[in-house]
């Protein structure tokens, strides 16, 4: 599940690099907007990765004791990954508004 979060960063990197203007029209607003878009996908991705690691560790240990915990562990992992997805959505909005 955590491997998908790295794809979010790749998507934003492609969007940012394909929408870069020439150097005459590239001002500070466009530069900081692209920086903020990268941070908006990177920081939630880091937080989601940490959450997935903690939930995965605790979930595997709990699943060894009680197999009924498996479905709730998967749901918690999905909700943790949703954090990075929300960051991706905001980053796409910021990267496209910077044009």
């Amino acid at each position: 599940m955590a491997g998908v979060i790295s794809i979010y960063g790749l998507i934003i990197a492609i969007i940012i690099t394909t929408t870069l203007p020439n150097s005459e029209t590239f001002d500070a607003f466009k530069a900081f907007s692209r920086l903020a878009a990268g941070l908006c996908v990177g920081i939630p991705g880091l937080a989601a990765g940490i959450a997935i690691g903690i939930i995965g560790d605790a979930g595997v240990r709990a699943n060894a004791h009680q197999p009924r915990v498996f479905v709730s562990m998967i749901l918690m992992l999905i909700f943790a990954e949703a954090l990075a997805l929300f960051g991706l959505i905001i980053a796409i909005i910021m990267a496209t508004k910077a044009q």
Side-chain angles (χ1 to χ4, degrees), residues 39-63:
L39 289 174
C40 279
V41 77
I43 294 172
L46 178 67
I50 291 171
I52 287 172
I54 292 170
I55 293 168
D57 177 47
V60 167
R61 292 171 193 256
N63 192 24

Side-chain angles (χ1 to χ4, degrees), residues 1-89:
M1 295 192 111
V4 177
I5 297 172
S6 63
I7 302 296
Y8 297 163
L10 179 66
I11 291 169
I12 288 301
I14 290 172
I15 289 173
I16 289 173
T17 56
T18 56
T19 60
L20 281 177
N22 56 7
S23 61
E24 293 87 30
T25 62
F26 197 67
D27 57 352
F29 172 74
K30 292 178 182 177
F32 282 118
S33 178
R34 285 171 171 81
L35 175 67
L39 289 174
C40 279
V41 77
I43 294 172
L46 178 67
I50 291 171
I52 287 172
I54 292 170
I55 293 168
D57 177 47
V60 167
R61 292 171 193 256
N63 192 24
H65 293 291
Q66 189 66 259
R68 295 183 306 171
V69 180
F70 182 74
V71 174
S72 61
M73 178 189 67
I74 296 295
L75 286 174
M76 286 188 284
L77 288 170
I78 291 170
F79 289 139
E81 191 165 342
L83 295 173
L85 183 62
F86 297 148
L88 174 69
I89 293 168

